[in-house]
């Protein structure tokens, strides 16, 4: 192919933790950068050559990146960043610029998609921005030879002194036309990557995504990349994907990282049926919204190998839930907390583990609402629990008027759900930190929680091995009073 280009993809690290604290986030969970792996597969299918450096899995990768620049001389260097890793991406882009001035630096991902043209105006080292879904925009860019850039939908570029966005793509890719992400581009895959500790029965394991977009508008959620469109892989594609992972990497468990895996009921049922018929012994986790689950679906999920379902419950205060969580008109629930409780019990009855995801520090949060959340969490038979610190990401609906509801320190590096960058009216940071710590301490000191984690010795032996290996680091962190 005469127009063959070479592209280096970089997933910057960012600090992604709490300043001054031992960083346990990488010990607990390292997920493959699936967006970049999908782009890499798409461009290779179209005849281009690609490399991927994941600085999150391998911090301090600068030398390896410079070596790739020297040896492979890529035409484009593409960065996918979150809000907290964006400035590390900029730092690396400057190093790329020095080492290989002719390479074009392209940024994409959630932070770029949320802030758009502003980032190119403020950071001249970025040559191009890709807004939203990247596959076709990036392919057209690398094949353009720098011509007719104004015709590439989804692209941000410079015209003389102006930064111009060409508008969103109307036609998005058919999900079943996507090649499987190129996990093999990752150094040390699958062993260098791990799902959160205690959230899988077997290793090696990994993450997959089988749908893009979400039709809901929860106030705290940044959906800048795939926005409100909802597209998904067919059940047959999903099964083929799992078979590929087993054959190529011996993967034995996957986390289905879709925002709304259970939105299309029939798709889930058909996938379960196919997977059961295939005889493939591979377990999986998924996330769901409680109002989309019912007994029939849960029975089928269990039979198909579902090991754990994560539920975004967020808070035990009904008013906060009503204010921040969105529902589809066809799925409005009268009493959400009661619906969640009944669904948790139903999931457990069907033999599937349940993880509850909560957040603290929402606009409107009070001391009383936090106490309510604690009592609600402790009354549910959850198997696992996570309490993140609310972060008003630039693409989240609440970002627009967040300063009306409290004080907001918009330091991008700290915006990672592990720091309180937003303090709602009525609190000090110290009070929120104290309540966050109390929440975790009370949760993890309950006999039922301790018994549950003890049972992981036979349900997830690999997690316990990891836990013992990293115990000194966990203890150091616990003494300082933090856990993610
Ligand atoms: S929190 Fe979940 S359901 Fe709500 S907008 Fe985000 S992805 Fe969609």
């Amino acid at each position: 192919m005469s127009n063959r280009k070479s592209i280096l993809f970089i997933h910057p690290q960012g600090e992604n933790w709490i300043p001054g604290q031992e960083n346990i986030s990488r010990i607990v969970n390292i997920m493959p950068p699936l967006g970049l792996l999908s782009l890499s597969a798409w461009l290779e299918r179209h005849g281009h050559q690609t490399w991927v450096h994941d600085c999150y899995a391998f911090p301090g990768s600068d030398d390896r990146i410079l070596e790739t620049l020297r040896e492979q001389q890529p035409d484009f260097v593409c960065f996918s960043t979150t809000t907290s890793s964006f400035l590390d991406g900029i730092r690396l882009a400057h190093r790329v610029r020095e080492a290989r001035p002719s390479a074009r630096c392209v940024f994409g991902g959630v932070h770029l998609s949320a802030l758009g043209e502003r980032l190119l105006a403020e950071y001249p080292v970025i040559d191009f921005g890709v807004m939203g879904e990247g596959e076709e925009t990036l392919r057209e860019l690398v094949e353009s030879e720098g011509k007719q850039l104004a015709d590439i939908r989804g692209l941000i570029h410079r015209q003389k002194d102006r930064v111009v966005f060409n508008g969103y793509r109307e036609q998005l890719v058919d999900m079943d036309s996507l090649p499987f992400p190129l996990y093999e581009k990752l150094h040390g895959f699958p062993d260098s990557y791990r799902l959160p500790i205690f959230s899988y029965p077997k290793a090696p394991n990994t993450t997959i995504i089988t749908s893009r977009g979400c039709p809901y508008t929860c106030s705290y959620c940044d959906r800048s990349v795939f926005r409100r469109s909802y597209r998904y892989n067919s059940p047959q594609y999903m099964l083929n994907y799992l078979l590929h992972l087993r054959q190529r990497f011996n993967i034995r468990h996957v986390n289905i990282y879709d925002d709304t895996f259970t939105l299309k009921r029939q798709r889930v049922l058909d996938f379960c049926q196919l997977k059961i018929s295939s005889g493939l012994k591979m377990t999986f986790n998924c996330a769901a919204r409680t109002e989309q689950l019912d007994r029939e679906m849960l029975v089928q999920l269990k039979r198909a190998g579902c090991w754990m379902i994560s539920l975004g419950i967020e808070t035990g205060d009904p008013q906060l839930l009503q204010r921040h969580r969105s529902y589809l008109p066809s799925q409005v629930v009268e009493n959400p907390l009661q619906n969640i409780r009944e669904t948790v019990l139903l999931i457990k009855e069907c033999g599937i583990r349940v993880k509850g995801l909560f957040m603290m520090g929402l606009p409107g949060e009070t001391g009383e609402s936090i106490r309510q959340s604690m009592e609600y969490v402790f009354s549910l038979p959850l198997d696992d629990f996570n309490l993140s610190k609310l972060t008003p990401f630039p693409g989240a609906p609440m970002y627009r008027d967040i300063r009306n509801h409290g004080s907001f320190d918009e330091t991008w590096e700290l915006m990672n759900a592990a720091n309180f960058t937003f303090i709602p009216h009525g609190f000090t940071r110290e009070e929120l930190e104290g309540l966050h710590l109390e929440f975790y301490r009370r949760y993890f000191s309950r006999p039922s929680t301790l018994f549950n984690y003890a049972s992981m010795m036979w349900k997830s032996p690999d997690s316990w091995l990891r836990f013992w290996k990293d115990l000194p680091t966990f203890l150091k962190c616990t003494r300082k009073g933090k856990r993610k």
Side-chain angles (χ1 to χ4, degrees), residues 194 464-473:
R194 38 196 167 201
W464 267 102
L465 283 176
R466 279 171 61 192
F467 182 76
W468 285 120
K469 196 166 130 280
D470 294 314
L471 188 59
T473 315

Side-chain angles (χ1 to χ4, degrees), residues 27-203:
I27 296 174
V28 174
N29 179 20
I30 304 182
M31 186 179 136
L34 284 177
L36 289 186
L37 302 184
S38 181
L39 291 170
S40 164
W42 185 256
L43 292 181
E44 294 225 343
R45 171 187 277 177
H46 287 85
H48 306 290
Q49 189 177 13
T50 68
W51 301 267
V52 178
H53 278 299
D54 181 3
C55 307
Y56 189 72
F58 296 96
S61 292
D62 285 25
D63 289 345
R64 292 179 59 194
I65 291 171
L66 294 175
E67 195 181 302
T68 307
L69 287 172
R70 242 186 344 264
E71 288 176 3
Q72 310 297 345
Q73 308 200 344
D75 303 300
F76 290 85
V77 181
C78 302
F79 299 83
S80 175
T81 83
T82 59
T83 297
S84 64
S85 65
F86 175 76
L87 291 175
D88 193 41
I90 292 295
R91 180 189 68 77
L92 285 166
H94 282 290
R95 296 211 71 179
V96 169
R97 179 67 79 239
E98 261 171 48
R100 183 161 168 74
S102 65
R104 301 294 88 200
C105 288
V106 186
F107 273 63
V110 68
H111 191 65
L112 186 288
S113 294
L115 294 178
E117 298 98 303
R118 173 186 150 188
L119 294 183
L120 267 79
E122 291 177 11
Y123 298 92
V125 73
I126 307 178
D127 293 305
F128 301 104
V130 171
M131 293 279 275
E133 183 168 271
E135 275 84 0
E136 273 299 84
T137 301
L138 193 56
R139 182 186 67 76
E140 289 178 17
L141 173 66
V142 304
E143 292 175 1
S144 70
E145 303 285 348
K147 296 183 195 119
Q148 297 184 311
L149 295 176
D151 294 343
I152 303 176
R153 302 290 274 183
L155 187 71
I156 308 176
H157 59 111
R158 293 195 175 77
Q159 267 179 3
K160 297 189 181 138
D161 292 338
R162 279 188 330 127
V163 174
V164 180
F165 172 45
N166 295 340
Y168 288 104
R169 299 191 82 83
E170 277 149 31
Q171 189 72 38
L172 298 173
V173 294
D174 167 10
M175 291 283 292
D176 274 7
S177 73
L178 289 170
F180 301 135
L182 286 179
Y183 295 83
E184 49 270 55
K185 294 283 176 185
L186 296 174
H187 183 68
F189 183 84
D191 298 337
S192 309
Y193 290 80
R194 38 196 167 201
L195 291 178
I197 210 160
F198 298 125
S199 59
Y200 58 88
K202 290 171 274 182

Side-chain angles (χ1 to χ4, degrees), residues 214 216-218 220-221 223 259-260 289:
C214 172
Y216 297 86
T217 47
C218 302
Y220 41 80
C221 185
R223 294 160 310 130
D259 287 336
T260 44
R289 288 184 54 114

Side-chain angles (χ1 to χ4, degrees), residues 32-35 37-38 41 175-176 178-184 189 206-212 233-249 251 254-258 267 271 275 280 282:
L34 284 177
L37 302 184
S38 181
M175 291 283 292
D176 274 7
L178 289 170
F180 301 135
L182 286 179
Y183 295 83
E184 49 270 55
F189 183 84
T206 194
T207 305
I208 66 171
I209 291 178
T210 72
S211 64
R212 290 179 173 180
N233 290 124
S234 64
Q236 187 62 55
Y237 182 101
M238 291 164 68
L239 179 65
N240 292 346
Y241 193 171
L242 297 187
L243 289 166
H244 165 74
L245 289 172
R246 168 56 68 86
Q247 281 155 12
R248 180 78 173 75
F249 305 107
I251 295 296
V254 294
N255 182 33
I256 302 177
Y257 198 62
D258 296 23
R267 176 178 91 115
F271 163 68
K275 172 134 187 325
L280 175 64
M282 187 190 278

